[in-house]
Amino acid sequence: MNLRRTRLTVLGLVALPLTLAGCTQPAPPTQSEESVVRITSADDPVLRAMARVYADQLEARGFKAKLVAEPSKPYALLEAGDADVVIGTAETALQLVPDPKSVTGEDGVLSTGELAGLAQALKTQGRRAADPTAGDAGPVLVASKATMAQYSFGSLDDLASTCKDLVFLTPSEQREDLEAWAKEAKCTPKAIKVVAAAAAMDSLRSANGQLAVLDGDDAAIVDEGFNVLPGSEDFFDRAPILPVVSDEVSEQALRSINDISSSVSQDALTAVNRMVYEPGGLTSEDIAAHWEQLVN
């Protein structure tokens, strides 16, 4: 399975279907008949599926919603007034802030505790952020149970004494953050190798690498029984879904968007990842149709 997604950028967007069929037995409409919530997404298969989920769930709550497409720059589509909601992550939204370190501090890493500051920074730029999801695609450091037993570590604190024997595997995008943590923790690994996620998992299975950086919603973490090292999420930008909305979105619709976001747990986001990337993966439409089953 190709479970690795490339680092998201503000510029990415892949074409989405232009209309949505209405859900059965919708709640009474809270917007005018002419008002349609136009939704687009950053360029990522999971986010495209989630854009469909948000659209379907808004329609189930009585709103009209449709997906709009643009080959690049989804946030520019919002700025131009051609979309009302961008389904992206906090990591992508951070790129909208002229001085990201005004949010992250000097370490340049977006933490969970800094998400409120990100929303405020977006507000000063004339943008509105909806609530972030609990489900987070931000990278984490993982290891197999066998490796943890063999090298006698169970936490980040244990790694300092055994780092010299360990090979760390990471995508190129996270190498700098991983090296910064290793330096601060006085952990000098045997090697840090830049590899794709699929290669990292193969190396973990064969014990050719002992720890790997994987996206937090990567279904392989659960499906293959890897352990996430608690605290490793602090090394890397957090990436919960963070819808950015236009001023054209009513307060009622924004409350519904926040309600939808509140249902996106880590398990739900991981399940969407699995359905997208498994062989013969489901379409965005199929995933949205199964959403209630995922969250209930």
Side-chain angles (χ1 to χ4, degrees):
M1 291 185 292
N2 180 14
L3 293 170
R4 174 63 197 167
R5 293 180 288 109
T6 58
R7 185 180 177 90
L8 303 175
T9 67
V10 171
L11 299 180
L13 184 73
V14 168
L16 293 167
L18 297 180
T19 60
L20 284 174
C23 297
T24 59
Q25 298 181 331
T30 54
Q31 291 190 312
S32 70
E33 288 299 316
E34 293 76 23
S35 183
V36 177
V37 181
R38 300 161 299 170
I39 302 174
T40 188
S41 78
D43 183 13
D44 173 81
V46 171
L47 291 175
R48 292 199 298 275
M50 290 306 302
R52 173 67 70 170
V53 167
Y54 276 85
D56 276 13
Q57 289 296 308
L58 280 172
E59 289 212 333
R61 287 163 171 78
F63 298 90
K64 286 188 175 182
K66 71 175 183 178
L67 299 179
V68 295
E70 172 65 32
S72 63
K73 302 183 180 179
Y75 294 100
L77 203 66
L78 188 74
E79 297 296 322
D82 295 323
D84 301 306
V85 182
V86 175
I87 301 302
T89 67
E91 180 187 18
T92 61
L94 181 63
Q95 298 176 49
L96 298 171
V97 178
D99 179 15
K101 287 190 176 181
S102 68
V103 176
T104 65
E106 287 304 311
D107 67 2
V109 176
L110 180 66
S111 69
T112 299
E114 291 161 342
L115 294 176
L118 172 58
Q120 184 59 40
L122 291 171
K123 185 176 180 180
T124 64
Q125 297 296 312
R127 302 178 176 97
R128 287 197 296 172
D131 292 345
T133 62
D136 192 330
V140 290
L141 195 60
V142 307
S144 69
K145 291 180 176 65
T147 291
M148 295 174 73
Q150 179 181 353
Y151 292 92
S152 301
F153 68 88
S155 68
L156 292 175
D157 291 340
D158 297 334
L159 285 178
S161 61
T162 192
C163 258
K164 67 182 187 306
D165 299 320
L166 304 176
V167 175
F168 287 67
L169 309 166
T170 180
S172 59
E173 297 89 350
Q174 278 78 50
R175 178 169 185 163
E176 184 177 343
D177 290 337
L178 180 62
E179 289 177 337
W181 164 78
K183 181 178 180 180
E184 182 178 345
K186 295 180 170 46
C187 166
T188 304
K190 182 177 181 179
I192 294 179
K193 296 182 179 180
V194 174
V195 297
M201 285 184 282
D202 287 341
S203 293
L204 288 178
R205 294 184 194 106
S206 62
N208 290 325
Q210 283 73 50
L211 296 103
V213 177
L214 298 177
D215 285 343
D217 65 336
D218 193 326
I221 296 174
V222 175
D223 295 347
E224 303 211 23
F226 295 137
N227 283 4
V228 175
L229 271 68
S232 63
E233 64 275 8
D234 295 336
F235 312 163
F236 311 105
D237 285 337
R238 292 299 84 211
I241 294 173
L242 184 73
V244 178
V245 306
S246 75
D247 289 337
E248 297 301 313
V249 174
S250 69
E251 288 302 316
Q252 296 100 316
L254 180 58
R255 284 195 291 271
S256 288
I257 290 169
N258 287 338
D259 184 50
I260 297 163
S261 292
S262 71
S263 71
V264 186
S265 66
Q266 192 66 40
D267 286 345
L269 195 59
T270 299
V272 173
N273 176 291
R274 182 182 296 109
M275 289 189 289
V276 165
Y277 287 106
E278 67 184 357
L282 298 182
T283 66
S284 296
E285 292 84 355
D286 288 337
I287 291 169
H290 285 86
W291 184 250
E292 294 299 330
Q293 295 170 278
L294 290 179
V295 297
N296 292 320

